[in-house]
Amino acid sequence: MQLAAIIVSLVLIAVGVALFGRAIVQIYQYMRLGQPVPAGTRTDQPVQRTVTVAKEFLGHTRMNRWGVVGVAHWFVAVGFFSLLLTIVNAIGQLFKADWMLPIIGEWAPYNMFVEFIGTMTVVGILTLIVIRQLSKPDNNPGRKSRFAGSKKGQAYFVEAVILIVGICIFTLHALEGAQHHVDSYEASFFISYPFVSWFGGMDLSTLQNLTYFFAMVKIATSFIWMITVALNTNMGVAWHRFLAFPNIWFKRDADGSTTLGELQPMTSGGKPIDWEDPAEDAVFGVSQVEQFSWKGLLDFSTCTECGRCQSQCPAWNTGKPLSPKLLIMSLRDHAHAKAPYLLAGGGKDMEGNEKATAEQLKDVPAAAIAEAERPLVGTAEENGVIDPDVLWSCTSCGACVEQCPVDIEHIDHIVDMRRYQVMIESAFPSEAGTMLKNLEKKGNPWGLAKKQRLEWLKELDFEVPVVGKDIEDLTEVEYLYWVGCAGALEDRAKKTTKAFAELLNMAGVKFAIMGGDEKCTGDSARRLGNEPLFQQLGQENVMALNMAFGEELDDDGRTTPESAKPKTAKKIVATCPHCLNTLGNEYPQLGGDYEVIHHTQLLQHLIDEGKLIPVTPVEGLITYHDPCYLGRHNKIYTPPREIMSAVPGLRQQEMHRHKERGFCCGAGGARMWMEERIGKRINTERVDEALSLNPDIVSTACPFCLVMLTDSVNGKKNEGKAQESLQVVDVAQLLLDSVKTPVDPAGESEAADEPAPEPVK
C-alpha cells in the first residue's frame, strides 16, 4: 500500500505541476494578445488596489449578498488557500504514517484551525452542491435556473474534488490523533475526537495503511484536478479561483467601487482616439476578439459561470437571447480556441487579408484556424460568436456588473462591439437610425425645433431665468437646472419638470435654465455605439456650460486656466438620471467638471432644511421603481424613498426586485428608441411586478422610466388588468401635491389660522 501510494502520488505531482506551469504561461500569453490600456488606468494606487482585493476576498463583499451561498462559498474559498500545507503533510505521511509538520504540527491553534476550516469546507461544499441541485435547469425549466447554459459537468467535477479533499483532510487529521495516542478531548481534535477514538481501537498496521490510502487519495484527487484544469484553460469554474485576484486588482476603480456609471473613452492601440484627427490605422470598436483589451480577455477567462448576472438580467428574464453569462462564456471559449492561431502570428488586416505566412501557420491546429474564420458578431447562419440580437438586447442597466462576484465589466465589452457595428458596419436596428438623425440635425432624439425646449415655461405662473436671455451667466444663481430633452419635450416628463420648478420656487432656491441652445447629452448615442456623435454633442454642451458658468474659452473651445472655476462653483441639478450620469461622470472626459445632483437629492435636502414641508395627505399604497441610472449606476437609492416617507398618507411597499436588484424599465442602452420584438416587453414585466402589490401609485424618478411604465400601465388598463385610478408619477409630483396648501370651498386656506411650522433643524 505504501509503495503504491508513493508511486501514484509522485507521478501525479510531477505531471500536474509541469502541466499547470505550462497552463499559467499559456494564459499569460493569451492575455497579452489583447490590446494595451491607457497608461496608469489599471495600475494606479497599487496599495489601495491590494486592499480592495483583500476586502473583496476576505469579506466576500459580493458573494455575501446572497446569504447562505456567500457564507458557504467563503469557507470553500478560504479552505482552498489556507489548507495548502495539508498537502505537504499528506506527502510526508506517505513516507512515515505519523509524520507531522515541523514546528506547527503539534501547535494546538494550527490544528484547531485545520480542524475547523477543514470541517466547514466540507459543510460548505455540501451546501453548494445541494443549492446547485435544487437550482439546476432540470428542476427549473425555461430560464428560471441561473445555471442554465453553464458547463455542469465541469462544475460537478470541481465540487466532487473539493468534497473528497475535504473528507481526506478531516480523516487524516483524525488518524494523526489516533497514531499519537490521543485518548481524551483536547483542543487539537475538538471536532474529530469521536473518529480519533474509533480509529484508536485499530492496530498500528491498519492505521498506517489507512493513512497511506487517504494521503494518496487526497494527493491524487488534488493533482488530477490540477492536470484537468491545466488541459482546459477555459475552465472558468476552476480557474476563477486564481484569476479573480488579478481581475479584481486591475478593475477600473482602485477603491473597489462597481464598474458602472461612465463608459470609458474609445481607444486604439491603448491610446484615446483623437476625434479631430484620428490616426489612419485607428481601430474603431471591436470586430475581432484580439481587439479587446488584455483586461477584457482576463474578464472572459475569470467567469465562474455562477449565473448571478443572468438571474438579474432583464433581457434574459423576458425571453430575449442575451445572457451576460453566456455572452462572456462565448467570448472566452472563442478567445481560447483562436489563441494558437494568433500566437503563431495569424490575424487579418483592415481589408480582411491574412497577415501570417503559410509557414507560420503550418503547425496551427485546424480547429484554431476554423475558429479564426468566425465573425465576432454574426447570425447562426454566419457562424457568428455573438448573435446581433444578443448584442442589441442589452439595456445597459448594470445588473450584471453589480452582481458579478469577480468584477467582470460586461457593459464595456458590449458597447465596444456595438461601436464597431455602428461606426464601421452601419449594422444596428433601423429604428435607432431615426434617433441618430434627429440628434445630428436637431440636437434632440425627437427631432423637434430648439425653440420648443422653452415652451413649458409658458405654463408656469412665475419667471424662470434663462441663460443668455434673462441673465448673462449663472454667477447669481445657486443651481443650473438641466431640463434635458425628455423634460423639455415629452409631455409626461414635462409634468415632472414643471413640478420640480414649482418646488424650487416655493423653497426660494435661485436657479436658471439653459436658453434652448443646449443639445442632448448624448447618452443614447454613446450607448448605442455612435461615439463620434456623443463626442460632438458633448463638446458643444461643455462649451455652452463652461461659458454659462462664467468661464472664458480659448480658440479651441477649452476653458482658459485663469478663468477656470472649482467644481463646487458649478452646480447642476437634473431630473433625468441619464443626464445626471453623462454630465457628472462622462463630461469630465471632455473638459466639463461639474457638481451634478439629482432632483430627488435636492428635494430631500430642502425637506430636511424645512424649506419644503409636506402637509396635505396623499392617501394610498405606493411602490417605487428604481431607475437603473439613478440606482445601480450612481448609488442613489435613499432620497426618493425619504421624500415619499415625508408625504403624509402614503404607505410604501417595495417590489420584490428593488434597489441593487431592481428591474429595468427597458429604456436604457438606447433601447428607448428601438422596438422590442423578442419575448415579453421589459416594461410589461416590471409593471406586472408592481401590479402584484395592488398599488394606488407607481412612482419613479426618471423620465424614461415614467414613459415606459405609463405605456405599460395604460395597456393594462385597456385590458382591464389595472384599476383606472392607478397613477404613474415622479416623486416630485407627489411632493408638490403634498406641499401645496389645500383650499376650502369658501376660498380660505385650511391652514390660514395655524402657526407657521418650525424649520427642521
Side-chain angles (χ1 to χ4, degrees):
M1 173 61 73
Q2 183 181 22
L3 182 60
I6 290 173
I7 293 172
V8 170
S9 298
L10 293 184
V11 169
L12 288 173
I13 289 172
V15 175
V17 170
L19 289 177
F20 195 73
R22 187 188 69 168
I24 292 174
V25 172
Q26 286 179 337
I27 290 176
Y28 176 72
Q29 291 174 331
Y30 293 173
M31 299 307 110
R32 285 177 58 86
L33 291 170
Q35 299 301 304
V37 298
T41 56
R42 298 285 181 175
T43 55
D44 60 316
Q45 305 180 58
V47 173
Q48 179 60 58
R49 290 180 177 278
T50 304
V51 170
T52 295
V53 171
K55 285 169 59 178
E56 288 205 22
F57 174 65
L58 295 177
H60 255 46
T61 52
R62 297 294 185 85
M63 291 292 297
N64 283 337
R65 298 174 181 177
W66 291 73
V68 66
V69 176
V71 175
H73 189 275
W74 187 90
F75 281 108
V76 172
V78 169
F80 176 81
F81 291 103
S82 65
L83 298 177
L84 288 177
L85 283 178
T86 61
I87 291 183
V88 177
N89 201 69
I91 294 171
Q93 288 169 330
L94 290 174
F95 297 92
K96 189 173 185 296
D98 62 350
W99 188 82
M100 299 173 66
L101 288 169
I103 303 174
I104 62 172
E106 297 185 61
W107 190 39
Y110 172 74
N111 285 309
M112 290 175 66
F113 178 82
V114 170
E115 184 103 322
F116 177 69
I117 295 296
T119 303
M120 293 308 297
T121 296
V122 173
V123 172
I125 197 62
L126 285 172
T127 302
L128 295 179
I129 288 171
V130 170
I131 289 170
R132 183 178 289 273
Q133 292 306 304
L134 292 175
S135 304
K136 68 179 182 179
D138 295 346
N139 297 337
N140 299 271
R143 298 183 170 222
K144 296 179 181 178
S145 171
R146 63 184 173 92
F147 298 115
S150 298
K151 297 179 179 178
K152 63 180 181 181
Q154 293 182 357
Y156 293 159
F157 169 71
V158 169
E159 289 171 343
V161 165
I162 296 170
L163 181 60
I164 292 169
V165 169
I167 291 172
C168 287
I169 290 173
F170 184 89
T171 305
L172 286 169
H173 190 59
L175 286 166
E176 184 181 295
Q179 291 179 83
H180 287 83
H181 309 295
V182 173
D183 55 5
S184 63
Y185 269 101
E186 60 179 68
S188 293
F189 302 92
F190 73 104
I191 297 175
S192 63
Y193 179 72
F195 293 88
V196 173
S197 179
W198 179 51
F199 286 137
M202 300 179 182
D203 61 72
L204 182 60
S205 177
T206 302
L207 289 176
Q208 289 174 337
N209 283 327
L210 283 173
T211 301
Y212 301 143
F213 174 76
F214 278 102
M216 178 186 67
V217 171
K218 172 176 166 45
I219 294 168
T221 304
S222 299
F223 286 91
I224 288 172
W225 172 86
M226 182 176 283
I227 292 168
T228 304
V229 169
L231 295 174
N232 295 274
T233 53
N234 64 341
M235 191 174 175
V237 71
W239 277 103
H240 81 278
R241 64 180 59 188
F242 305 109
L243 298 181
F245 296 104
N247 205 54
I248 295 170
W249 200 91
F250 289 118
K251 69 190 294 186
R252 187 195 296 174
D253 298 313
D255 63 0
S257 55
T258 309
T259 310
L260 289 172
E262 74 275 15
L263 288 176
Q264 295 300 285
M266 273 184 69
T267 61
S268 179
K271 297 179 181 178
I273 293 174
D274 181 353
W275 293 101
E276 296 180 2
D277 184 24
E280 290 185 7
D281 60 348
V283 176
F284 300 104
V286 169
S287 64
Q288 300 172 53
V289 74
E290 63 270 25
Q291 291 172 349
F292 285 108
S293 71
W294 59 261
K295 176 57 169 69
L297 298 182
L298 180 58
D299 267 359
F300 308 154
S301 294
T302 307
C303 178
T304 183
E305 304 177 23
C306 65
R308 285 173 178 78
C309 57
Q310 181 175 284
S311 70
Q312 301 296 300
C313 178
W316 180 259
N317 277 279
T318 53
K320 295 166 183 63
L322 169 64
S323 156
K325 177 188 72 178
L326 298 180
L327 178 139
I328 295 296
M329 287 171 61
S330 296
L331 292 171
R332 176 196 66 200
D333 293 346
H334 174 61
H336 283 254
K338 188 178 179 181
Y341 161 81
L342 295 171
L343 289 170
K348 302 292 178 67
D349 60 22
M350 297 178 71
E351 286 74 37
N353 301 314
E354 178 58 59
K355 293 186 289 187
T357 64
E359 179 65 22
Q360 287 176 293
L361 299 179
K362 67 181 178 63
D363 295 326
V364 175
I369 294 177
E371 193 72 27
E373 295 300 319
R374 298 180 67 191
L376 186 66
V377 177
T379 61
E381 292 76 16
E382 297 167 329
N383 197 27
V385 178
I386 304 298
D387 192 279
D389 284 333
V390 169
L391 198 62
W392 298 111
S393 293
C394 179
T395 66
S396 72
C397 69
C400 50
V401 179
E402 177 71 38
Q403 291 298 327
C404 182
V406 292
D407 288 299
I408 293 172
E409 300 166 7
H410 311 71
I411 293 177
D412 289 356
H413 307 317
I414 289 172
V415 171
D416 272 341
M417 289 186 283
R418 283 184 171 189
R419 285 165 168 168
Y420 179 83
Q421 295 300 305
V422 171
M423 296 169 60
I424 306 301
E425 298 290 340
S426 295
F428 54 90
S430 57
E431 320 85 76
T434 303
M435 178 268 292
L436 293 177
K437 289 176 183 176
N438 289 336
L439 288 178
E440 291 171 359
K441 294 179 179 179
K442 298 292 185 179
N444 67 79
W446 285 277
L448 300 175
K450 68 177 184 179
K451 65 180 181 180
Q452 292 187 247
R453 283 185 175 273
L454 301 179
E455 287 295 305
W456 65 275
L457 292 174
K458 297 177 182 177
E459 301 176 41
L460 300 178
D461 56 7
F462 56 91
E463 295 296 322
V464 175
V466 177
V467 176
K469 179 182 176 184
D470 304 309
I471 57 175
E472 184 177 343
D473 57 39
L474 295 161
T475 54
E476 295 181 5
V477 300
E478 189 175 357
Y479 290 98
L480 167 67
Y481 173 23
W482 183 271
V483 180
C485 299
L489 304 171
E490 207 282 327
D491 288 340
R492 286 162 286 192
K494 280 196 283 187
K495 294 178 181 178
T496 303
T497 302
K498 290 181 286 186
F500 182 56
E502 283 193 54
L503 289 166
L504 292 182
N505 185 60
M506 289 178 180
V509 176
K510 291 184 178 181
F511 71 101
I513 64 171
M514 297 296 285
D517 289 330
E518 74 273 22
K519 306 288 181 67
C520 171
T521 59
D523 163 83
S524 292
R526 192 174 215 194
R527 278 147 188 81
L528 184 75
N530 195 328
E531 184 71 10
L533 181 54
F534 164 76
Q535 293 285 330
Q536 176 190 331
L537 295 168
Q539 287 169 4
E540 290 179 15
N541 281 333
V542 167
M543 288 175 61
L545 285 168
N546 288 348
M547 288 180 65
F549 279 112
E551 296 181 341
E552 297 178 3
L553 308 181
D554 60 21
D555 294 339
D556 295 325
R558 297 183 176 87
T559 299
T560 58
E562 57 273 11
S563 70
K565 295 186 176 181
K567 178 178 178 178
T568 52
K570 297 179 286 186
K571 295 182 179 180
I572 300 176
V573 60
T575 42
C576 176
H578 297 265
C579 294
L580 166 88
N581 184 65
T582 306
L583 291 166
N585 296 331
E586 297 187 334
Y587 276 13
Q589 300 170 6
L590 307 176
D593 205 13
Y594 316 111
E595 184 177 303
V596 188
I597 62 170
H598 192 244
H599 73 291
T600 57
Q601 292 175 294
L602 181 53
L603 292 177
Q604 181 198 11
H605 176 68
L606 294 173
I607 291 172
D608 291 343
E609 285 193 330
K611 293 181 179 178
L612 290 175
I613 303 176
V615 291
T616 306
V618 179
E619 300 292 344
L621 178 67
I622 188 169
T623 190
Y624 173 72
H625 164 79
D626 284 286
C628 301
Y629 273 78
L630 186 64
R632 274 190 293 265
H633 281 276
N634 284 281
K635 305 293 180 276
I636 300 172
Y637 297 108
T638 303
R641 291 173 168 82
E642 290 292 323
I643 292 169
M644 291 184 290
S645 296
V647 174
L650 284 179
R651 293 173 287 116
Q652 292 185 53
Q653 186 168 348
E654 297 283 9
M655 284 182 265
H656 174 65
R657 294 176 285 203
H658 62 280
K659 293 187 176 179
E660 289 87 353
R661 296 195 193 182
F663 198 76
C664 183
C665 74
R671 289 295 322 175
M672 177 83 171
W673 320 105
M674 295 181 247
E675 286 298 325
E676 201 169 337
R677 297 186 176 91
I678 304 173
K680 184 178 181 180
R681 295 183 66 88
I682 294 174
N683 59 338
T684 300
E685 171 74 11
R686 186 54 163 166
V687 165
D688 283 344
E689 187 173 0
L691 292 179
S692 68
L693 303 176
N694 195 28
D696 300 294
I697 305 168
V698 176
S699 67
T700 188
C702 168
F704 283 14
C705 296
L706 193 68
V707 169
M708 299 297 283
L709 297 177
T710 301
D711 284 349
S712 185
V713 165
N714 288 340
K716 294 291 183 182
K717 288 180 179 179
N718 293 335
E719 296 170 5
K721 297 179 180 178
Q723 55 184 338
E724 285 298 323
S725 60
L726 178 62
Q727 304 177 63
V728 181
V729 296
D730 188 282
V731 291
Q733 295 168 261
L734 287 171
L735 182 59
L736 180 63
D737 288 343
S738 183
V739 169
K740 282 183 175 178
T741 305
V743 177
D744 66 17
E748 296 179 358
S749 168
E750 293 180 5
D753 298 326
E754 297 179 7
E758 289 291 323
V760 178
K761 301 297 183 185

